[in-house]
Amino acid sequence: MEASGVVIEVGPEVSSCKVGDVVAYAGHPVGAYTEEQVLPAERVVQVPPSVDPKIAAAILFKGLTAHILLRQVFKVGPGHTILCHAAVGGVGTLACQWANALGATVIGTVSTKEKAILAKENGCHHVIIYTEENFVDRVMEITSGKGVDAVYDSVGKDTFKGSLACIKNCGYLVLFGMASGEPEITFKDLNKKSVIFTVPGIFFYTENRHNLAAASEEVFSYVEKGVFRVQVNQYPLSQAIQAHLDLQNRKTTGSIVLVPDN
């Protein structure tokens, strides 16, 4: 659902790009695992010359997601404290760096000591290894019992109750993935602290062409400025199966890019 490449042909009414342009897209249509792809012009954005196409492929979907999380759902800024689960995943890596650049205090959760080092390098002020300590207790310790302004949770079922416990009154719980399954949630859970709960979808926030282009430009500008430290795991397209296995077995950090063999 995301890719970058060189335009080799355009339709007669297309004016937003031309043959030879380097472009990228994120979202529908499905079908990026291929050497050539036909795309609707309104879903394609220009990749600046200073941005490596592999970086563009690795960052656009996650970058747009991070933009939605930090700049639209809840506008993170100085004085805020956030908790980001899976801090060294594709979205987590960018979200933590971005939130740090925006002046927020960033708490990240990871599964290993090795990933904790990466999380620190990617902008986390505090890193919690959830396999070794209770992340709720640590968050409350870090925040002196106040809790965080927002939790960004892509894990779902396994972390949801703990995420709720970490939020301050009237804080935000942003669920943007369910890696461990769909969480059980009740009105009582949310009402206890008057929590604002949302499940943002990238398609709804980028449906408008202007919004898509503006958000993409902002994402790429952070690449150009060096704010984003983008880690790419590169596999040949023919080894897509192995890439999925490595992802499933938590052998990767950052983003995976598949490159056509030829």
Side-chain angles (χ1 to χ4, degrees):
M1 296 170 68
E2 57 183 334
S4 68
V6 178
V7 177
I8 59 174
E9 190 175 352
V10 297
E13 298 180 5
V14 173
S15 59
S16 57
C17 60
K18 63 183 184 302
V19 173
D21 284 354
V22 179
V23 298
Y25 86 102
H28 289 300
V30 176
Y33 288 17
T34 185
E35 295 178 359
E36 296 181 4
Q37 189 176 12
V38 178
L39 295 168
E42 68 269 15
R43 303 309 302 166
V44 168
V45 297
Q46 295 281 343
V47 177
S50 59
V51 177
D52 187 310
K54 293 175 185 175
I55 297 296
I59 203 175
L60 187 56
F61 195 102
K62 295 93 168 171
L64 289 174
T65 301
H67 186 277
I68 291 165
L69 300 180
L70 304 178
R71 308 305 295 147
Q72 299 185 65
V73 172
F74 174 68
K75 292 190 176 182
V76 174
H80 292 141
T81 300
I82 69 165
L83 171 64
C84 182
H85 291 299
V88 294
V91 175
T93 297
L94 300 180
C96 291
Q97 294 176 76
W98 202 336
N100 183 305
L102 292 170
T105 298
V106 183
I107 306 171
T109 67
V110 297
S111 59
T112 67
K113 289 183 173 65
E114 293 75 18
K115 290 185 176 183
I117 295 172
L118 289 174
K120 277 282 188 180
E121 294 174 351
N122 288 328
C124 289
H125 299 92
H126 306 277
V127 182
I128 302 169
I129 304 174
Y130 65 83
T131 54
E132 298 181 2
E133 53 188 340
N134 184 292
F135 76 82
V136 176
D137 292 342
R138 281 288 292 128
V139 167
M140 299 311 287
E141 179 184 357
I142 292 166
T143 62
S144 301
K146 297 177 182 178
V148 297
D149 295 281
V151 176
Y152 296 104
D153 192 336
S154 61
V155 179
K157 184 177 181 180
D158 290 351
T159 54
F160 193 78
K161 294 291 185 180
S163 294
L164 274 171
C166 292
I167 301 174
K168 63 173 57 174
N169 292 343
C170 303
Y172 283 71
L173 176 48
V174 186
L175 183 69
F176 66 99
M178 293 180 282
S180 65
E182 187 173 344
E184 297 178 1
I185 180 173
T186 67
F187 174 80
K188 185 178 180 180
D189 291 330
L190 303 177
N191 189 50
K192 187 176 181 180
K193 295 182 180 180
S194 193
V195 168
I196 300 166
F197 174 59
T198 181
V199 186
I202 184 174
F203 311 110
F204 298 101
Y205 283 85
T206 61
E207 185 176 13
N208 179 278
R209 168 70 188 179
H210 174 76
N211 294 343
L212 171 63
S216 299
E217 288 176 8
E218 188 169 359
V219 169
F220 287 139
S221 74
Y222 273 80
V223 177
E224 293 175 304
K225 294 173 185 176
V227 173
F228 289 150
R229 177 178 175 270
V230 184
Q231 182 180 0
V232 173
N233 294 274
Q234 183 174 316
Y235 291 74
L237 180 58
S238 60
Q239 294 182 19
I241 292 174
Q242 187 61 51
H244 276 269
L245 290 172
D246 289 349
L247 178 64
Q248 179 180 323
N249 293 318
R250 298 187 177 185
K251 293 182 179 180
T252 68
T253 56
S255 300
I256 292 174
V257 172
L258 304 178
V259 180
D261 298 68
N262 60 2

